[in-house]
Amino acid sequence: MTRPLVNSSALGSVDARAALDALGTYAERFADIEARAGDAVKRARASTGWPEQVALERQIVAEQHRQQEAEFAAFHPHAGLLIDRARSALAFQPPARHVAGWSLLVDDLEAAADLARRRFADETSVDRTTVRQCQATWARQARLLRDLAVQETPPSTGPELPAAEEARWTAHAHDVRRRHMMYLYESRYDAAGRQLTVAGVPDLDEPSEDCVLIVAGDVDSATVRVLGRYDTCDQALAALPPAVQPGVLHPRGRFPRSPGALPALADLVEDVAGATQSQTVAEVLGYLVSDSAGPRHLSHLSDLLAECADFALATETVAGRDLSVRLRGLLVQVDVLDRQLHQALTAFEDTIAVLPPHRTPQPRHIKAPPAVSATPPPVQAAPPRVPRRL
């Protein structure tokens, strides 16, 4: 890894504050530019034809990249100081599973800053696409870098109860959780990698009153520990050590979105409401059921349920594992629904039917006459067929 871009020992707290402010401003403006460009692209797609749309989208994206590059160029001189401060903070972090990953992210930010510096110096070996990726890296990891850069002392370890009191309250926490009498207020991870939860429970010494506990570990696990007991939630929250940045569901990148645009479900409902023949309903159902030709609503629903199940499992809690199993069960039901809708679609395709003409719309600007029964007249039985004599 390259050397730090700036030697932080020569800079004071004023420079650090300016760097932190610049980082926050850059991340905020980067996201704002991205959001405004996305809205502009949507408007262009809705209001222009294909050739004009492509040209307009290119203009919008080019302007987005120009503005983001200008913001990053203004922030870039502060990058080295922030990296140095983050490395200093990492040096006194308590041992935890996430520290190695944080260190890699700081190294990655330093590499991104170095690539951008070379681009700003007109080195042709670094293209604009690479610099845009560097800009996005700094915008996405701004919160982690800021949290590290503001640390000047070892993180707080939080409260601790005497051993006897801890055992007594931990047994009580197990009991009230088992009886569904625990109310969860907040959960976070601290610098030591502990999951800390603020939970309301009936008081052990005065069962008619409630109190608040700080619990370490999964509240449904056998290894849970009670760290502190408080009269109010505000007192418990004040005693918590600072939260660290949560992890991500997909460490290798965001979940890839399916290509292609689908009509919204509300639009499909309107299509069926305005349909006059069964073929239209079949076409609408075609947007729901899975199809190898492209994404459909049910395939998106399956993706959504799978992501929710993965997220629940990734929390590494007992409740999360149970919820993941339930969501996986729903995936099976979606598959059954998909097959049944395929059958309904085929039935609509085979039914060459139109709505009867007596289903006329009501007038909008005049008073409607009294409703007339739309029941068709009874069908008279046909006379028995007499065989023809040859």
Side-chain angles (χ1 to χ4, degrees):
M1 184 57 61
T2 57
R3 61 176 177 79
L5 303 177
V6 177
N7 185 359
S8 61
S9 61
L11 297 170
S13 59
V14 175
D15 300 290
R17 175 52 54 190
L20 289 168
D21 291 342
L23 177 63
T25 299
Y26 167 69
E28 181 179 348
R29 289 181 179 174
F30 183 94
D32 181 62
I33 293 169
E34 192 171 53
R36 285 190 284 108
D39 291 340
V41 168
K42 291 179 182 178
R43 290 194 298 270
R45 290 175 178 173
S47 60
T48 59
W50 175 251
E52 296 84 1
Q53 173 187 322
V54 173
L56 187 54
E57 282 188 31
R58 287 176 179 172
Q59 293 177 8
I60 293 170
V61 172
E63 178 63 17
Q64 171 193 347
H65 292 162
R66 187 194 65 77
Q67 293 178 5
Q68 289 175 334
E69 184 173 338
E71 293 292 341
F72 189 65
F75 158 74
H76 187 266
H78 302 283
L81 172 58
L82 294 172
I83 290 171
D84 284 353
R85 290 181 64 89
R87 286 221 174 95
S88 297
L90 285 171
F92 51 70
Q93 293 291 312
R97 292 169 60 185
H98 58 261
V99 175
W102 283 3
S103 181
L104 286 176
L105 289 177
V106 173
D107 290 346
D108 189 50
L109 285 168
E110 183 186 17
D114 187 58
L115 285 170
R117 177 190 59 78
R118 289 163 55 191
R119 177 66 188 184
F120 296 149
D122 293 328
E123 292 189 20
T124 57
S125 59
V126 183
D127 58 23
R128 287 188 175 276
T129 301
T130 301
V131 174
R132 285 195 292 270
Q133 294 171 354
C134 297
Q135 297 165 10
T137 297
W138 273 86
R140 303 286 185 263
Q141 301 301 334
R143 178 184 170 186
L144 171 64
L145 190 63
R146 182 190 180 282
D147 289 349
L148 288 173
V150 297
Q151 293 183 23
E152 297 180 345
T153 58
S156 169
T157 58
E160 288 286 342
L161 284 175
E165 282 294 291
E166 178 187 316
R168 195 167 74 97
W169 281 100
T170 297
H172 180 59
H174 279 296
D175 180 55
V176 296
R177 181 61 175 173
R178 193 164 46 245
R179 291 188 287 152
H180 305 286
M181 298 175 65
M182 178 182 287
Y183 182 82
L184 307 181
Y185 289 104
E186 181 176 328
S187 183
R188 65 173 63 174
Y189 280 85
D190 69 354
R194 299 180 302 177
Q195 182 182 12
L196 303 179
T197 303
V198 177
V201 300
D203 195 291
L204 180 57
D205 301 317
E206 298 183 22
S208 61
E209 301 293 332
D210 290 337
C211 65
V212 182
L213 305 179
I214 293 180
V215 179
D218 179 4
V219 294
D220 293 304
S221 71
T223 58
V224 68
R225 295 173 52 218
V226 174
L227 303 183
R229 181 266 179 208
Y230 304 89
D231 292 328
T232 67
C233 183
D234 288 342
Q235 292 175 352
L237 292 173
L240 281 174
V244 299
Q245 179 171 302
V248 296
L249 184 57
H250 296 285
R252 295 186 179 183
R254 299 180 65 182
F255 178 77
R257 294 189 178 275
S258 301
L262 283 176
L265 284 174
D267 294 336
L268 296 180
V269 173
E270 292 293 329
D271 289 343
V272 174
T276 61
Q277 55 183 348
S278 58
Q279 294 301 305
T280 303
V281 181
E283 292 174 3
V284 168
L285 290 178
Y287 286 110
L288 294 178
V289 298
S290 59
D291 186 355
S292 59
R296 293 294 184 264
H297 281 290
L298 276 186
S299 62
H300 285 321
L301 177 59
S302 295
D303 289 342
L304 174 62
L305 291 176
E307 286 295 288
C308 293
D310 289 346
F311 184 94
L313 188 61
T315 61
E316 300 181 6
T317 62
V318 173
R321 288 194 295 272
D322 293 342
L323 181 56
S324 179
V325 171
R326 289 165 53 192
L327 289 169
R328 294 291 177 187
L330 288 177
L331 278 172
V332 176
Q333 297 182 37
V334 172
D335 185 57
V336 173
L337 175 61
D338 186 33
R339 292 197 299 269
Q340 293 177 345
L341 284 175
H342 262 294
Q343 296 172 3
L345 184 154
T346 302
F348 271 111
E349 289 178 335
D350 294 341
T351 304
I352 308 300
V354 295
L355 296 180
H358 63 76
R359 303 181 66 90
T360 56
Q362 292 292 313
R364 298 182 60 187
H365 305 290
I366 60 174
K367 185 177 181 180
V372 179
S373 175
T375 304
V379 179
Q380 295 182 355
R385 185 178 179 183
V386 180
R388 294 179 61 189
R389 294 183 180 180
L390 299 177

